[in-house]
Amino acid sequence: MAGASDGYHPAATIPTEREDPDVTERLPYGSWPSPIDAATVARHDGTPNWPEALGEEVWWTEGRPEEDGRVALVRSRLDREDPPQTVLPPPWNARSRVHEYGGHPYALLADGAGTAVVFSEYSDQRLYLYSPDSGGEPTALTPVPEIPGGLRYVEPVAGPRTGEVWCIRETLTGPAPTDVARAIVAVPLDGSAAEDPAAVREVASGHRFLACPRLSPNGRRLAWIGWNHPDMPWDATELRVADIDVQGRAAGARTVAGGPREAVVQVEWANPDRLYYVSDPEGWWNPFRLTIGPDGDTVEPLGPVEEEFGGPLWQLGARWLRPLPDGRIAAVHGTASTRIAVTEPRSGRFFDLATPFTEWSPRLTLAGTDRSTIVSIAASAERAHEVIAVQPDKAAWRSLSRPGGDTADPLAPYLSAPRPRVFTCRPAAGGEREVHAVVHPPRNPAASGPDDAAAPYAVWVHGGPTSRAPMVHDLEIAYFTSRGIGVAVVNYGGSTGFGRAYRERLRENWGVVDVEDCAAVAGALAEEGAADPARIAIRGGSAGGWTSAAALASTDVFSCAAILYPILDLAGWRNGETHDFESQYLESLVGPWPQTRERYEERSPVNRAASVTAPFVLMQGLEDAICPPVQCERFLERIAALAADGKGVPHAYLTFDGEQHGFRKEPTIIAALQAELSLYAQVFGFEPAGGPPVLELRP
């Protein structure tokens, strides 16, 4: 077994729940002093992502809130325990805008000086080639688009021919958000396409949306995933396979898996005639093996099990599954939480690897000269997201992003101990259903609340809505729980991780099921005495902002709301006020347009402003192309009209220059957290440690 001398830790079990020291002082909830201030949260917001390896080198991206929110490229090595090195200097920003949510933005290539990287630069969305060990600046590989940022690239991989990278290209063709074309293209590495757009060769197309281009090991076949409106990639996709002809284009493309009500979300080659893919024909994303033979294709399920080996393709490049060189398969799987596993050679069954991490991201890559080391992003309630290398045969793991980072975390005593819970929702229409949630009770080693009072709580609503809130180390949550405000994160009906039936509960019921589930969790916490029923907030961003606003407009459960970059007007959002990727998402979430137009209008908070009586704060990035500021502005016009009639509700509206969908800059993160805490302080009736409220609420 690997020892401490090589940086690897022996296999570990999940740690037991922490025990607090004796509490020293009883203070009102919300006023507890905490070392986790907004600046601390902002500095820790640079979660690593997108690991990739070439030999002993492992690279990843890393957000830098303190550097204007840019995404840096960082690298380390398996054969040394050196601190991670920032490879891409500021102001370079490795971030793609394909689908606006982006995805894997770079590829590693061997060159004479060491390792070179091809990456998508955020400012102009062009591809650049950079050799950090040979000096110099990145050089452009793709042309300047006619529309600024109008040629976008994602998921680059080394092409089958020397001197090319293949990737997905998104082309903006006109002024409307839906004026878009996509294709898999080959980009030459000699820079010729920077001046001659015709040097970029189209390899494959045929669907409105494309994902996961994968070349077979011998470079003779290409596999990819495609889908069309009105489907989203978790509704229905097709897995396509084609030969590569002498011109370097896909020829004879055919569909080998997927179709109506089946969503293939990943594909990987094991050898030139065998590939593995993840799909959900039986309602759970499970792995399958497809063998291409002279007499036809053979498909074999690796299961089936009622667990998820896949998830929603919000960003392109996710990898839940990875074939190992020895024929085994590595996988990320689970339901409410995720684990890392490998198959046993004889039985083919998956066996979990023992580590202290309870959440593994679908970012699997293989590292080392023999590609036997598995690398991904992992976290737990105790540890923030890290780049982790696992040696399955030695039952050992090692952190690459925090080498030697097992020293005591001074903030650990202030982190809430999250508890997975299953609640029951009993809607007015009858029946009952299970609702999954993660509850983070207030926790502070130096304070507790009064004996005669229950804690205030904030119900957090994740975005998506086809997504999931993981149970991990989260300083943003700890910012509130360490001050005496509990947080309940609801994986409401429509969330992923619990099978297709659970995520399809939201079909044509967005603004109904999600609101009911959040209200049910709030009511249950109040009924069991954990939460003060008069002091429960709701909070969410994007789709979570929609649910938060809809809850204020349709229930009296919540005392206030923090609503971040929301959808507030369904009809407007459906008809040109969002990007192409989600432009027909509401066809499934609400109903076909325009046949169900009345439903769109009835559920929209913008049309129910008179029903909003609880205070709220709206926060919005001014460069948001997904949920644009016009949605907030239209809603606030209705609120202002009510105020003019003496029916105003206390509220505030904060806007942030240079922010898109989600806040990335340190000053924005700080301002948003302080504003939210101030809202709670004024509504719940406490004075935060360190000073009075800073947010001005006006009718």
Side-chain angles (χ1 to χ4, degrees), residues 161-184:
R161 298 179 176 181
T162 302
E164 287 184 342
V165 291
W166 288 23
C167 57
I168 294 169
R169 181 185 66 190
E170 182 177 80
T171 305
L172 306 188
T173 60
T178 53
D179 293 337
V180 182
R182 298 177 182 88
I184 298 171

Side-chain angles (χ1 to χ4, degrees), residues 395-415:
W397 63 273
R398 169 187 164 197
S399 176
L400 299 177
S401 54
R402 292 179 58 207
D406 289 326
T407 56
D409 181 355
L411 299 179
Y414 296 87
L415 299 177

Side-chain angles (χ1 to χ4, degrees), residues 219-242:
R220 296 178 181 176
R221 289 188 174 121
L222 176 69
W224 71 94
I225 296 166
W227 69 96
N228 294 310
H229 277 148
D231 289 320
M232 297 298 284
W234 42 86
D235 295 325
T237 66
E238 294 182 349
L239 172 56
R240 304 275 282 171
V241 173

Side-chain angles (χ1 to χ4, degrees), residues 579-658:
H579 59 147
D580 181 57
F581 178 63
E582 294 180 85
S583 62
Q584 295 189 34
Y585 193 9
L586 300 185
E587 294 287 302
S588 60
L589 289 176
V590 182
W593 178 272
Q595 297 93 312
T596 58
R597 177 172 187 154
E598 185 176 344
R599 187 185 300 163
Y600 281 66
E601 294 175 347
E602 285 179 351
R603 292 184 190 171
S604 293
V606 71
N607 298 322
R608 306 182 69 180
S611 300
V612 176
T613 58
F616 64 88
V617 58
L618 272 177
M619 292 184 264
Q620 177 70 49
L622 292 179
E623 294 182 7
D624 193 338
I626 298 171
C627 295
V630 67
Q631 292 262 315
C632 287
E633 294 163 3
R634 192 176 299 136
F635 177 68
L636 291 171
E637 288 175 2
R638 309 289 174 87
I639 294 292
L642 292 167
D645 292 337
K647 301 175 183 178
V649 59
H651 69 279
Y653 180 44
L654 304 182
T655 59
F656 301 99
D657 289 325

